[in-house]
Amino acid sequence: MKKRAVLSLIAAGAMVASLAACSGGSGDSGSGEGGGAIIGVAMPTKSSERWIADGNAVKKALEDQGYKVDLQYAEDDIPTQVSQIENMITKGAEALIVASIDGTTLTNILADAKDAEIPVIAYDRLLMDTEDVDYYATFDNQLVGNQQAWSVLNGLGLTELDGTPIEGAPAGPFNIELFAGSLDDNNAFFFFNGAMEIFQPFIDNGTLVVKSGQTTIEQAATLRWDGETAQSRMEDLLTANYSDNSKVNAVLSPYDGISRGIIGALTDAGYTTGEGWPIISGQDAEIDSVKAINNGEQYATIFKDTRELAKKAAGMAIAALNGDTVETNDDSTYNNNKKDVPSYLLEPVIVVKDNIQKELIDTGYWTEKEVNG
Ligand code: BGC
């Protein structure tokens, strides 16, 4: 980055170089080091530790390149997020990195960013219904959904973690209940559809039975990914469908915070870990859920290395504001109802008890002490 910018300065000639020097070398002057230019980073909430880790990692990646960072959390309140972004624009941010609360609510403020020629990177969650988003950094969200389903099937002894059928697998039937994320988050659809495309043949042949009959994303949704909301839906599902001495054998959960709500409801209903405890999926490798995997309450989580996502998004923002080529690897999957948003997708990883050490501790994501202490 630095080298490229220096070369372009040389190519542009001494006059331009000296002008750039006089201007104090702001981010888009091509100094290659941020030179104090501000980049605004809008995050949804501190109530989930993944977003705290994301925010810190993006901030560090940008500061390492000499940028100033205006990092804001909106505590899942949409007007707060809108005014935070407004402030960033007013304060002269030269690029925006936005993880939205509700991807459809930022259209007006993003139009203001466009008018001010500020490039916008959607972070993890797609910004919907707007032309005014330039790039998208995320994980392969359909694959996340596939992996959540495979982890459940693996826990039931039906497939390997990559979905390969296990010979002599039990015939079932297994009772399963389904949870989805927040309907205002485009990712929720990718996760749920990705899981259902894997489950459907098992539902069709009777191996999996959704006893409640609640199989649509609208029925399974959890507003704002809230654990307590999930807990009370799980309580209702148990009361309405499992009061006849039948047991739920598996629960599809799209996020660790939701999994913890489900675990709470099961415990309150008298389920105990060990035999007869359901297989539960998750996402984000939050520390409490990694511990829950270790002690057998949760079967799996999907690890998305936020450090990598942060680096990618920071790199995209810097390249975009400097007019450099922004690297993408999927320009056709993520349509936001206005356009296909050029995207960079990272690879998620399934974590079960056996690979906590390799994926989470050896990579430094969590320390041994955090996991086992
Ligand atoms: C993210 C997930 C996260 C969820 C709840 C989604 O947009 O992709 O990683 O679990 O939001 O915060």
Side-chain angles (χ1 to χ4, degrees):
M1 163 78 216
K2 189 169 183 182
K3 196 162 150 210
R4 193 138 42 100
V6 169
L7 284 177
S8 75
L9 274 183
I10 293 168
M15 205 180 87
V16 177
S18 69
L19 276 178
C22 291
S23 79
S26 78
D28 55 6
S29 72
S31 71
E33 292 179 0
I38 302 169
I39 297 183
V41 181
M43 289 280 150
T45 175
K46 279 192 174 168
S47 70
S48 155
E49 71 202 13
R50 84 146 279 191
W51 298 115
I52 300 174
D54 284 275
N56 291 339
V58 174
K59 186 164 188 281
K60 178 164 190 318
L62 292 170
E63 285 175 351
D64 285 351
Q65 297 289 323
Y67 289 86
K68 279 198 184 129
V69 178
D70 184 2
L71 168 63
Q72 301 293 336
Y73 286 85
E75 291 325 309
D76 270 343
D77 183 58
I78 294 163
T80 303
Q81 185 162 59
V82 172
S83 75
Q84 287 174 338
I85 297 174
E86 209 163 53
N87 278 336
M88 290 171 190
I89 296 172
T90 313
K91 283 199 268 173
E94 294 192 23
L96 294 174
I97 297 176
V98 180
S100 56
I101 297 162
D102 175 334
T104 64
T105 53
L106 300 175
T107 318
N108 292 341
I109 194 72
L110 295 178
D112 293 348
K114 177 60 99 204
D115 287 346
E117 293 178 16
I118 300 171
V120 174
I121 314 295
Y123 187 89
D124 194 75
R125 298 173 170 174
L126 189 53
L127 293 162
M128 304 300 289
D129 304 338
T130 174
E131 296 277 348
D132 305 326
V133 48
D134 298 282
Y135 298 98
Y136 182 31
T138 191
F139 286 80
D140 182 338
N141 294 308
Q142 186 85 12
L143 179 57
V144 170
N146 294 161
Q147 291 178 327
Q148 287 172 335
W150 290 330
S151 71
V152 167
L153 296 178
N154 182 256
L156 293 172
L158 296 169
T159 70
E160 304 291 351
L161 282 175
D162 65 0
T164 312
I166 292 177
E167 232 179 286
F174 295 107
N175 293 326
I176 185 168
E177 295 299 336
L178 309 169
F179 281 73
S182 197
L183 294 182
D184 52 12
D185 180 348
N186 189 54
N187 287 350
F189 294 85
F190 277 82
F191 303 151
F192 194 74
N193 294 339
M196 289 309 276
E197 78 182 356
I198 302 299
F199 283 151
Q200 202 58 55
F202 293 86
I203 293 175
D204 291 344
N205 72 15
T207 310
L208 295 180
V209 176
V210 185
K211 206 154 176 246
S212 67
Q214 300 193 7
T215 54
T216 67
I217 190 168
E218 288 77 17
Q219 290 169 318
T222 314
L223 183 65
R224 299 278 126 75
W225 307 85
D226 180 58
E228 285 176 23
T229 304
Q231 177 153 354
S232 68
R233 176 166 176 260
M234 189 68 207
E235 282 164 7
D236 292 347
L237 288 173
L238 290 171
T239 312
N241 305 284
Y242 297 90
S243 295
D244 56 358
N245 271 332
S246 61
K247 293 270 175 201
V248 61
N249 305 117
V251 186
L252 171 74
S253 165
Y255 156 57
D256 287 345
I258 289 179
S259 315
R260 292 194 293 274
I262 292 165
I263 290 168
L266 288 163
T267 309
D268 289 348
Y271 283 74
T272 50
T273 48
E275 193 149 352
W277 179 262
I279 301 299
I280 303 166
S281 60
Q283 172 168 211
D284 290 343
E286 295 197 334
I287 191 64
D288 286 342
S289 296
V290 176
K291 289 181 176 172
I293 292 173
N294 248 338
N295 70 26
E297 288 175 328
Q298 189 169 320
Y299 186 73
T301 189
I302 307 302
F303 172 45
K304 307 197 300 193
D305 195 332
T306 47
R307 298 167 299 190
E308 294 305 315
L309 182 62
K311 262 191 246 155
K312 190 48 79 182
M316 281 176 146
I318 293 170
L321 80 81
N322 284 309
D324 292 333
T325 307
V326 176
E327 191 194 358
T328 57
N329 64 4
D330 184 331
D331 295 344
S332 60
T333 302
Y334 288 93
N335 187 288
N336 74 350
N337 301 329
K338 290 285 183 198
K339 67 178 196 183
D340 289 340
V341 183
S343 307
Y344 195 98
L345 310 187
L346 294 160
E347 275 240 359
V349 174
I350 304 176
V351 169
V352 291
K353 195 170 183 171
D354 283 355
N355 63 350
I356 288 177
Q357 179 74 37
K358 172 169 173 268
E359 299 295 346
L360 300 179
I361 299 176
D362 293 353
T363 61
Y365 196 76
W366 295 120
T367 64
E368 178 103 50
K369 203 163 157 226
E370 283 162 331
V371 173
N372 298 319

